[in-house]
Amino acid sequence: MKHLLLIALSSLLLVACGSKGDSAKGAPGGKGNGGKKGGVQRVLNVEGYVAELGQQGKNFQTMATLVPKNSVSLSAATSGRLVSLKAKDGAIVKKGTLLAKIDDSELRAQLKQAQSNKMLAEQKEQRVRCLFEKNGATKQDLESAEASLKSAQASVELIQAQLAKTEVRAPFSGKLGFVDVSVGAWLNSGTPIAELSEVDRLKAKFSLPQRYASVIKVGDKISLKDSERNVEKLGVVSALDAVISESSRTRRVMVDVDNAKGELIAGSFVSVNVAMEASNVQSFTIPSEAMILDREGAYVFVSQGGKAKIKHITTGLRTPMSVQVLSGLDVGDTVIVSGIVSLRPGADVKIKGLRHSINYEVE
């Protein structure tokens, strides 16, 4: 009997333990709740960004290269020996100044012969014309004499053109660089003599990103600064490239700069500050990593009452760091900017920190 009672008590204890285990598995918050129903949902710690209205009226800064208004490499147009050199290193010269002369003795002798032939051709043409008027010569004789005269005139003009090529003159007023030749040297056609640059007026060339390609126009004033020499100048936009580069998606801009005092040096870099006009349309600026794209367009997650909520937005200017939001957000919305890949609509979120707005201006 004692053994039977012990077996019965053991069976009762096992049934009781099993019932408690089953109750524990089905209890709220237990491991066997099968998901979120009645369970504790995981809270995501994320960073936020408070949406604030602002106007787009920023400055775009870049670097530009200063180049002379005009620049040319002076060179010999014909071959010969250099017999005269008036160009001096670093000299300032006026337009038309004779800088170098190549030996032209042979050409001058040819010119005298050509001028003599021209004189004989003129005399012959006059005699034949007089005879033709008196019926002493035919029309063919007159035409032959006229052709001979034109040929002689062309010979003279050809030699005169060749003589002009023996002279190297300044095509515009400017400053010479270093002179690379000496008197007595034999120069071949195209041999460089010196660089001539118009440095009292300079040009600054830089590129604007495609999104700013239309914010400036010819005649606008642009601020340029040479930080190394602490010189700041105002330039005037003189030209805009007709097309946007397919490779860089930028538009080239040219600015004229007055350098009459020689404060700037051609070939140096300067910083360019392009002032953008403030837009009448107020907008938000958010970090670029907060925006998501799908088939319906752009959207962001915002935190409302500790829950993640989707808001579809309309965007404007974009940069690698920021996105301009034209519509879809309200003032004070906390845009979620981290943990985006883990977010789902309705997910529990906790803002662990806010990012400062000054780091995300659209520029």
Side-chain angles (χ1 to χ4, degrees), residues 76 78-87 98-104 166-168 179-188 191-193:
T78 187
S79 299
R81 192 169 302 282
L82 186 63
V83 294
S84 176
L85 182 63
K86 299 184 181 297
L98 178 63
L99 302 175
K101 177 68 176 177
I102 294 175
D103 181 26
D104 62 356
T166 64
E167 297 179 345
V168 179
V179 179
D180 299 322
V181 295
S182 300
V183 174
W186 179 269
L187 303 184
N188 293 317
T191 300
I193 295 174

